Amino acid sequence: MSSPHRDSPTTHARLLLAALLLLAAVSWIEPRGSGLAEPDETRYAEIPREMLAAGDLVVPRLNGVPYFEKPPLLYWANAAAFRVVGLTPWAARLPTRLAGMGTVLLLVLAVARARGREAGLCAGVLYLASPIGFLATRTNLTDGLLTFFFTATVLAGREAIARRARGRPWLAMAAWTGAAGAGAFLTKGLVGIALPGAILLLWSWGSGELAHFLPLVFSPALPVFLALTLPWLLLAESRIPGSLQFFLIHEHFQRFATGAAKRPGPILYFVPVFLLGFLPGVPFFLSGAARTRRADSDAFFFLVWFLAVFVFFSISRSKLPPYLFPAMPAAAAVAAAGVMRARTRSLWIVQAALATVFAAALLLHPVLRGFVKELRLAAIVAPCLAALVVLSWAAVLFAERSSALAASAVGAAWAAFLFGVVVGWPRVPPAHLTTDLAAAARKEAASRGAPIVAYRCYLNGVSWELRSPIPVADYRGELEPDFEPWEETRGALFWSKQRFLDAWRSGKPLVALVRLQDLVPLMTDQPPARVAKFSGKYAIVANW
């Protein structure tokens, strides 16, 4: 059993706040050379750049043609950041960082209201200390912005239901639920309202509040939601007929119910994603979940929230790790309850052992060890992993004094590891893949006044770095030329394979972005390709 706490609750809260602020500070660090990662971060930077260049905030465009796989809220937010800060990776990540801070604030306030200040701060620490929560806070992805609006929707909806059940004014909170749901919908589509609705329905049914859930559906939430979402949907459809059907049917029902998205995975796909992504809080989450009872409305709510997201995407036919982002605030809330209920060191020993195994795996894996040596990352990796292990075991010692002190040590431990990730990012190839390729392409093209064409591939980041769409030959991928109404634009940007080869062999200068697997045929063609730059699986080549 733990000994009596010798520190005041105020001291505990201050320690947790310090750990939370440390983690938040690390999430804002952006060393020079922290380029955007392919394909997602670059895509969600290039689309708003093109929207600004075209002066059109209604129709998202990627490589010069309409792109309706996602709604526009992140594009609008990034476009605003570009206007204020400039076309930089930091500006591209600014909206998701702000959304991440908002998610943490909502989480801390919600858990603190239910379980007390220490539990709220602990939930915030565990959320930001987890690799998946940290990524949701600093990467330029729709899922990070979705997590904020998702969190706001379920918390506002639950509050509206609870207020109505207690006979208190609730219509204003219902309106806020509709506004937050509109933000979620405009960020990621129907999943932003369907899953929060399912969570609120299941919680209401399980906690005996179902009679108060149904009025929420027909409250001001609905007109507010429609008022905020319909304008873009109707404007986009009027500009590009068929876009609404593609967005609602193909990008939702076909994506999740069929294998159309070509992102399959087994039913247990998200088990390792969760275990690794939420590693600092896993033992506490399992403990908190095991002790959750339906009679405990707060604990039951957070567990339903987590399970609804986890189960839905587990049975979906389309799976990617970021899909789990909206479940992480709930996981942190459940884990915080586990921390507050911990009465022995056993859970802290488990978390320290997991951190140690994690660090050892990174150090001993032959591929990763070679990677660290090749990129000269040892000076960054070694001290950060050492701090992770030492502070994790220090938490075991501190647990006897107070859970808050131990949780603060865990937060500091993972802040050290995540600091190493942030500082080391500019040195790894994905951070400068498209920067290197675009620089080489620009130099070669300028020397002869040659056009740049992507042959049988396309990288969003090359367009981002060049500040211009580029023609693609014998390739379509995620690009959507069928929505482009102007035949001249389609013809200029989408070449056939034969058109590219004719241009290559014409004697006129041409620069091409190619995959390495397509390089050999061009090197044996006439004229043979001259490689200007290798980077990753791609190369920049010229025909002179």
Side-chain angles (χ1 to χ4, degrees), residues 20 103 142 148 173 232 251 270 273 277 369 395 442 461 528:
L20 183 59
T103 301
T142 54
F148 167 71
M173 190 57 63
W232 175 74
E251 286 304 304
F270 287 105
V273 171
R369 190 168 65 247
R442 186 185 295 111

Side-chain angles (χ1 to χ4, degrees), residues 92-107:
R93 294 177 176 130
L94 177 59
T96 47
R97 279 189 169 115
L98 292 174
M101 296 299 100
T103 301
V104 171
L105 180 61
L106 290 175
L107 172 64

